[in-house]
Amino acid sequence: MSTELLPPVAPEVLAEAVEQLTARLRKKLDAAVAECAGRAVAGPDGTVEVRFGEDTLVTLRPGPSGAVTAPGQALCSCLLAPRCLHRAAVLGAAPLADGDAPAPDGPGPEGGHPEPSAGTDAPDPAGPGRRPGPEGEPDRERGPRVPPRARPDSGPADGLTPALTPSLTSAQTDAATALWGAAAEALAAGVTAGGTVVQAELLRAAHTARLAGLPRAEAAALRVVRGLRTAREQDRGQRLSDLTAAFRELLAGAAVLASGTAGPEAVGSVRRAYGQGGSLRVLGLCREPVLSATGYGGVTTHLLGPDGAFHTVSDVRPGGVSRAKGAGTASVALGGGVLDHAGLARGGLLIAGATVSADGRLGAGRSVRATPVRGAEWSQEPVAALFARPVREAVTAALDAAAEGRGDAGTVLLGCDVEVLGAADDHLVARVLDGGPVIRLRMAHPHPELPHAANLRRIGGFPGLALRVLGRPDPDRAATLRPLAVGPVPGASHSLRLPEEWRGRADLGYDRLQGDHFPRPERSSAGVPVTAGPDPLADAPLWRVRRLLESGVAGGRRAVAEAARGADRAALAVPLRRAGLTGAAELAEHLAAEADRRPRDSFGRLKDASSDAYARAWLASALHLDAAERSLVTASWS
């Protein structure tokens, strides 16, 4: 759909326009939205016009922010306006305006989370992290404890929940309950039936959540709506797994909020809060380019603070990959410091009056003063302790933090010394030194204009190379590390030889490794294919559950029922039980039974048209799958 000229539209404006339509017009809405492609033209005074026939003209007049934020800014010349199909179709074809999203949990493994400039309290357009954990610890036998109002009424997910103290207002619980209902209906419809009407209901509930002071829930709902739109347009950049995770996050968050017992982390915050950090000495670790699908680009510099705490300084603004490349040498806007990001990544700062957010981001308030200090090489303390920590311990801490909602796995970096074994497909295979596991090294950022891919290819040409790696563990892949920077291993003869000004490290997103940075090859095994060994995540039959859940997201409730009938249901559960995954088998069977449960009266009418029980069964299975996959990923680092 070519609708680039259409300005963003506030979710509540679209929801109100759809709500005003009659039932007959709602059935025609999706077809009318598709007709808007290529019809938008620029009008006078910054307006955008879309013509339907000879006598009907829809005019959008964006406000100062560039978005349509009020119903009066969308006008139609037909007699039925403003309750007409033309106006609702144009609003439905326009992109959604960004709401006030809560602060993120950190950049994702692909650099997909844009971050505002250091010290600003601007909302993050990407929203919260993508792997929130369920309330309560996962039960190893029966699956995770499903939050109140998100647990199936009967079946294998039943269990006791601890008594919690109510902490939300009645308006917030009512808004969360409405959001749960709208999300359940959207899940039951799936991508195939999740058209503009279904999306509008979800947007209406999201707006209600925003007015009730639930910004995290609103951001989760907007991500689901955007995912539905992208999937219906068959955009190649949309992955069904991402939309499945978005539904899981939305339903789990709404269920916890609807119980009235959620904590502040479930409510979220519109703007990132900074607390006083006093005097702080931080040392540079590396810098990382940041890219966003919404057009943001920049850099994040990772720092090490006292007691091994991670901190970041970010400079991300609209601009895409060109800005991400240039921001690597931009000045650091922090307390009048004179360093640029390249210098800070290899140096350090002594900060007076520091302000620090919960996820370690450093603020740049008026009272903050920063003085450049000499940095530390990776072979010097306290940085060297980062590479001495056992990898299993570091990965477990990162994944547990993500599961408990205390942050995303991307906020914790992992350092280790490895021996490069060679290249395999699109990644490198390496073995952690001193008896560690065999791991995979994958690109942190796949954009072709960034040097990540070229650097990894060059490293892969030197089997036996001893390498010190600092990167981000991938929470979705077995024993996979996405390196951000590399350096020589102290005392190793067959290792990197970096220039003195690089201070013993190379940022893979900015520095380019050359031939003279490598030792002479000691082995003649270059080009020999290598394998990383068994993959417990890929070998486990959990993929059957994942396929069932994704089928429900793509085709709705009917697709789940069809996929698990007759012999297909046995083919789903039997391999899971044989592998000892009885909890996953029971939850999948319960989901399939609930999807196919459509009781009717003697006149053929549905007795219970609600999708509430189906959504609970889907959520229970999704949370169990997430916990099981996380356990397998952790075990793969042993």
Side-chain angles (χ1 to χ4, degrees):
M1 180 181 296
S2 178
T3 55
E4 292 83 358
L5 289 178
L6 293 177
V9 173
E12 61 271 19
V13 175
L14 172 59
E16 182 180 356
V18 175
E19 187 178 13
Q20 291 178 344
L21 296 179
T22 63
R24 181 179 62 86
L25 292 179
R26 290 188 180 190
K27 296 179 180 179
K28 302 179 180 180
L29 182 55
D30 288 334
V33 170
E35 292 179 3
C36 294
R39 291 190 176 186
V41 296
D45 301 327
T47 62
V48 178
E49 298 177 347
V50 180
R51 182 171 296 278
F52 292 84
E54 297 181 359
D55 302 327
T56 304
L57 181 67
V58 178
T59 304
L60 301 182
R61 301 181 181 276
S65 63
V68 176
T69 57
Q73 295 175 350
L75 305 175
C76 182
S77 61
C78 76
L79 297 178
L80 293 179
R83 301 178 178 179
C84 64
L85 181 63
H86 315 104
R87 178 174 175 270
V90 174
L91 293 175
L96 289 177
D98 287 325
D100 290 334
D105 293 332
E110 302 264 345
H113 290 268
E115 304 183 17
S117 301
T120 65
D121 289 338
D124 193 317
R130 61 185 178 86
R131 293 182 62 88
E135 180 179 301
E137 292 295 327
D139 184 78
R140 297 302 178 187
E141 294 294 329
R142 310 294 287 185
R145 295 172 178 170
V146 182
R149 299 192 187 183
R151 183 186 296 109
D153 295 329
S154 63
D158 286 339
L160 298 178
T161 53
L164 299 175
T165 303
S167 58
L168 301 182
T169 65
S170 59
Q172 288 177 320
T173 56
D174 291 344
T177 302
L179 184 59
W180 165 270
E185 294 299 328
L187 176 66
V191 173
T192 55
T196 308
V197 175
V198 174
Q199 297 170 22
E201 294 296 330
L202 197 51
L203 291 176
R204 168 67 70 183
H207 181 60
T208 303
R210 177 183 182 182
L211 296 179
L214 301 174
R216 188 182 183 95
E218 182 211 8
L222 292 181
R223 280 194 297 277
V224 169
V225 173
R226 290 192 176 100
L228 287 173
R229 285 187 166 196
T230 305
R232 288 178 63 84
E233 294 170 7
Q234 298 181 350
D235 192 313
R236 294 182 179 179
Q238 171 66 23
R239 296 191 307 172
L240 192 58
S241 59
D242 293 337
L243 184 54
T244 302
F247 264 111
R248 184 189 69 231
E249 178 185 350
L250 173 59
L251 289 169
V256 174
L257 291 169
S259 69
T261 57
E265 67 283 351
V267 174
S269 59
V270 174
R271 296 181 182 273
R272 177 176 283 103
Y274 287 85
Q276 295 298 323
S279 297
L280 191 66
R281 182 187 179 95
V282 293
L283 301 174
L285 293 175
C286 65
R287 52 189 167 144
E288 172 190 11
V290 178
L291 288 175
S292 165
T294 55
Y296 285 78
V299 62
T300 292
T301 298
H302 297 271
L303 309 166
L304 187 67
D307 301 324
F310 291 101
H311 296 280
T312 58
V313 175
S314 300
D315 181 9
V316 179
R317 301 174 187 175
V321 67
S322 59
R323 192 178 191 285
K325 295 167 62 177
T329 55
S331 299
V332 177
L334 183 65
V338 297
L339 286 178
D340 58 14
H341 280 273
L344 179 58
R346 293 179 168 90
L349 285 175
L350 180 61
I351 308 174
T355 57
V356 186
S357 68
D359 59 358
R361 184 170 302 181
L362 299 179
R366 295 181 179 179
S367 60
V368 178
R369 295 292 180 268
T371 303
V373 297
R374 180 178 177 82
E377 296 187 4
W378 284 2
S379 58
Q380 301 173 341
E381 295 294 344
V383 182
L386 181 63
F387 299 91
R389 186 180 185 184
V391 292
R392 172 66 183 271
E393 178 183 332
V395 170
T396 302
L399 297 182
D400 287 348
E404 296 172 6
R406 294 185 284 107
D408 186 70
T411 61
V412 180
L413 299 184
L414 170 66
C416 60
D417 295 339
V418 303
E419 178 189 0
V420 177
L421 302 181
D425 297 329
D426 59 345
H427 61 272
L428 302 183
V429 179
R431 183 186 301 277
V432 178
L433 296 180
D434 298 329
V438 176
I439 65 174
R440 302 163 181 84
L441 302 180
R442 292 184 180 272
M443 291 180 293
H445 299 270
H447 199 285
E449 295 189 33
L450 297 176
H452 285 279
N455 284 331
L456 285 186
R457 281 196 302 267
R458 186 172 288 274
I459 292 174
F462 291 83
L465 180 71
L467 199 65
R468 175 158 283 188
V469 183
L470 181 66
R472 181 177 294 111
D474 192 331
D476 298 321
R477 296 178 183 269
T480 298
L481 185 67
R482 297 189 179 271
L484 304 179
V486 296
V489 175
S493 59
H494 194 66
S495 191
L496 291 177
R497 302 171 181 175
L498 301 179
E500 183 178 353
E501 59 270 19
W502 284 14
R503 298 299 305 276
R505 72 204 71 170
D507 297 330
L508 296 181
Y510 290 101
D511 301 323
R512 292 187 178 272
L513 296 174
Q514 306 296 333
D516 56 351
H517 296 156
F518 294 87
R520 292 182 179 181
E522 294 181 353
R523 305 182 182 182
S524 59
S525 57
V528 177
V530 297
T531 60
D535 186 339
L537 187 60
D539 297 340
L542 287 172
W543 63 268
R544 300 176 184 272
V545 181
R546 190 184 312 112
R547 184 176 64 179
L548 182 66
L549 295 173
E550 293 180 354
S551 297
V553 172
R557 178 174 186 167
R558 180 178 299 180
V560 175
E562 292 290 341
R565 282 179 180 165
D568 291 337
R569 180 172 298 186
L572 171 66
V574 170
L576 292 171
R577 286 193 169 90
R578 287 177 178 172
L581 301 170
T582 56
E586 292 175 6
L587 288 168
E589 285 183 324
H590 180 66
L591 171 60
E594 188 60 45
D596 204 22
R597 188 185 66 83
R598 306 287 281 177
R600 298 179 182 271
D601 58 19
S602 56
F603 296 98
R605 296 172 300 190
L606 287 175
K607 291 182 179 180
D608 182 13
S610 173
S611 301
D612 186 71
Y614 167 74
R616 293 177 181 176
W618 188 94
L619 176 60
S621 188
L623 291 178
H624 182 277
L625 175 65
D626 184 59
E629 290 182 336
R630 186 169 60 250
S631 298
L632 290 175
V633 169
T634 303
S636 68
W637 285 87
S638 299

